[in-house]
């Protein structure tokens, strides 16, 4: 049960403190590990389709073993030495791996530049949190990009990590972040990563399949808590949750679009190339900068609802299996 206490405490700490700039983040360590292994594996395996597929598979295996195994071993022995020391470290790591406050802060920087700065400053601010090209985005395009990021990362950065911690503790949360970070770094469908990153992208799809759907329904329910359009959120979620190349990314985007009564997604440029993508939601009204604030409110409401749901899930699992 220490893990469940750590989940509750870590969530509260994240909401209060977030990610201090002076504190090195464990995801940065995972990212450096991914880059280091990629350089080595590309030298070992041939630059062929089969060679890159094998190299990418080895990368996934090593990152999963290290990102989940090292925290597991540290916590296993620390808990044996002192349960309270183990609880303290698990709480600290949980707070670091949750991203509710940092997601809100980074998206609100975009809002601030839209309201009090220039469009160039807003484009730069949103470029810090999205992967698409931003240099030619309009005010509406910048706003949509920020709202979509809040929606998608509500699952990837907050609810999915909670889900895995509820299942097995913070080491499983680390394993999930390793998988998710690999996808964000290697899962591109370009010449460099089409084969090398395929295994990472597929594993991320599997890892997010269940939590993204739980997140979508939690966001629909949470929209009622912040007085958004819960009926439309449920309708658009059911209709548009598959309107994305990824089987998971549109889950929370559909709930968000319906709750805000706006249309998200659609065509976007990545690395100078236009990618045609379906839209999500109905354009009942134009997207406006205030939607970023509304999206952040919905993010927090969903996270609060989620932590209660996952605490109950985790406690039931531990009582059932007596762990």
């Amino acid at each position: 049960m220490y893990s469940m206490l750590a989940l509750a405490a870590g969530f509260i700490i994240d909401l209060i403190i977030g990610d201090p700039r002076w504190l090195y983040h464990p995801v940065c360590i995972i990212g450096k590990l991914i880059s280091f292994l990629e350089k080595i594996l590309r030298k070992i395996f041939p630059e062929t389709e089969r060679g890159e597929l094998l190299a990418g598979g080895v990368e996934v295996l090593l990152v999963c073993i290290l990102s989940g195994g090292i925290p597991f071993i540290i916590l296993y022995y620390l808990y044996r030495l002192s349960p309270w020391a183990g609880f303290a470290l698990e709480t600290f790591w949980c707070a670091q791996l949750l991203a509710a406050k940092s997601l809100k802060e980074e998206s609100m920087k975009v809002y601030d530049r839209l309201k009090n700065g220039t469009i160039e400053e807003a484009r730069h601010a949103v470029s810090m949190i999205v992967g698409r090209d931003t240099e030619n985005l309009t005010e509406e395009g910048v706003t949509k990009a920020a709202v979509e990021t809040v929606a998608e990362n509500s699952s990837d950065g907050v609810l999915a990590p909670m889900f895995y911690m509820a299942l097995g503790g913070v080491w499983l949360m680390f394993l999930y972040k390793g998988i998710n970070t690999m996808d964000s770094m290697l899962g591109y469908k370009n010449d460099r990563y089409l084969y090398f990153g395929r295994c990472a992208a597929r594993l991320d799809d599997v890892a997010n399949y269940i939590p993204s759907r739980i997140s979508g329904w939690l966001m629909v329910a949470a929209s009622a808590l912040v007085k958004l359009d819960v009926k439309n959120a449920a309708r658009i979620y059911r209709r548009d949750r598959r309107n994305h190349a990824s089987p998971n990314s549109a889950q929370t985007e559909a709930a968000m679009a319906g709750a805000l009564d706006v249309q998200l997604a659609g065509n976007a440029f990545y690395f100078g190339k236009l990618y045609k993508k379906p839209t999500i939601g109905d354009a009942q009204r134009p997207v406006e900068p205030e939607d970023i604030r509304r999206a952040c409110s919905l993010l927090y409401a969903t996270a609060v609802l989620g932590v209660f749901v996952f605490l109950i899930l985790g406690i039931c699992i531990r009582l059932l299996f007596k762990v």
Side-chain angles (χ1 to χ4, degrees):
M1 292 297 179
Y2 284 104
S3 292
M4 294 300 90
L5 292 173
L7 173 56
F11 176 67
I12 293 170
I13 292 171
D14 176 58
L15 290 185
I16 296 172
I17 299 176
D19 294 321
R21 296 289 183 183
W22 54 267
L23 187 62
Y24 201 73
H25 201 281
V27 172
C28 294
I29 298 175
I30 294 174
K32 289 185 178 297
L33 171 66
I34 293 168
S35 296
F36 173 74
L37 290 174
E38 180 187 352
K39 291 177 183 177
I40 293 176
L41 292 169
R42 284 188 180 276
K43 292 178 181 178
I44 296 173
F45 288 88
E47 294 182 11
T48 62
E49 177 181 332
R50 180 179 174 80
E52 292 197 359
L53 285 171
L54 287 172
V58 173
E59 168 112 11
V60 166
L61 180 62
L62 292 175
V63 171
C64 287
I65 290 172
L66 294 172
S67 63
I70 292 174
F72 179 86
I73 292 170
I74 292 172
L75 284 170
Y76 176 79
Y77 285 104
L78 190 58
Y79 266 116
R80 293 187 70 178
L81 179 67
S82 169
W84 289 110
F87 165 72
L89 181 59
E90 199 164 12
T91 299
F92 172 70
W93 276 344
C94 174
Q96 280 195 297
L97 293 177
L98 292 177
K101 184 169 184 178
S102 61
L103 181 56
K104 177 184 177 182
E105 287 178 341
E106 293 303 313
S107 58
M108 286 304 294
K109 289 178 183 178
V110 180
Y111 172 81
D112 177 70
R113 292 300 83 200
L114 286 170
K115 299 293 287 187
N116 304 308
T118 64
I119 186 63
E120 288 78 16
E121 291 172 335
R123 289 168 179 161
H124 175 73
V126 81
S127 73
M128 298 293 102
I129 57 174
V130 301
R132 73 190 65 182
D133 299 345
T134 62
E135 59 268 19
N136 295 315
L137 291 180
T138 62
E139 178 179 300
E140 180 178 337
V142 170
T143 304
K144 285 177 64 176
V147 171
E148 289 165 19
T149 296
V150 173
E152 183 174 353
N153 286 284
S154 296
S155 179
D156 291 1
V158 184
L159 294 158
M162 284 183 190
F163 171 76
Y164 282 105
M165 185 164 182
L167 289 184
V170 82
W171 75 270
L172 201 57
M173 197 182 201
F174 263 100
L175 174 58
Y176 169 76
K177 294 303 292 185
I179 293 170
N180 193 238
T181 306
M182 278 191 289
D183 180 60
S184 66
M185 294 178 65
L186 310 176
Y188 295 102
K189 293 181 179 180
N190 55 24
D191 291 340
R192 181 174 177 80
Y193 291 114
L194 181 62
Y195 300 112
F196 188 92
R198 183 172 296 178
C199 185
R202 294 293 183 269
L203 183 58
D204 184 73
D205 287 344
V206 173
N208 279 296
Y209 191 85
I210 293 175
S212 68
R213 282 150 181 79
I214 296 174
S215 299
W217 281 114
L218 285 172
M219 186 169 284
V220 169
S223 62
L225 302 178
V226 288
K227 299 181 179 179
L228 294 174
D229 194 340
V230 62
K231 290 183 179 180
N232 197 48
R235 182 179 71 87
I236 297 298
Y237 175 75
R238 288 193 296 267
R239 191 191 75 186
D240 292 350
R241 67 184 184 272
R242 297 184 183 89
N243 285 10
H244 201 282
S246 164
N248 305 315
S249 295
Q251 301 290 322
T252 44
E253 282 190 48
M256 179 73 76
L260 296 176
D261 296 326
V262 298
Q263 188 174 85
L264 300 176
N267 298 344
F269 282 89
Y270 293 86
F271 305 106
K273 182 179 179 181
L274 176 64
Y275 285 81
K276 294 184 177 181
K277 303 192 295 184
T279 58
I280 298 173
D282 296 328
Q284 298 183 34
R285 62 173 181 81
V287 177
E288 59 185 14
E290 287 300 320
D291 286 320
I292 300 176
R293 292 176 61 92
R294 297 181 186 114
C296 290
S297 296
L298 184 53
L299 159 67
Y300 267 38
T302 307
V304 170
L305 185 59
V307 77
F308 280 106
V309 170
F310 294 134
L311 282 172
I312 293 170
L313 172 65
I315 291 170
C316 290
I317 290 173
R318 283 152 181 78
L319 289 175
L320 181 63
F321 295 99
K322 297 181 180 179
V323 296

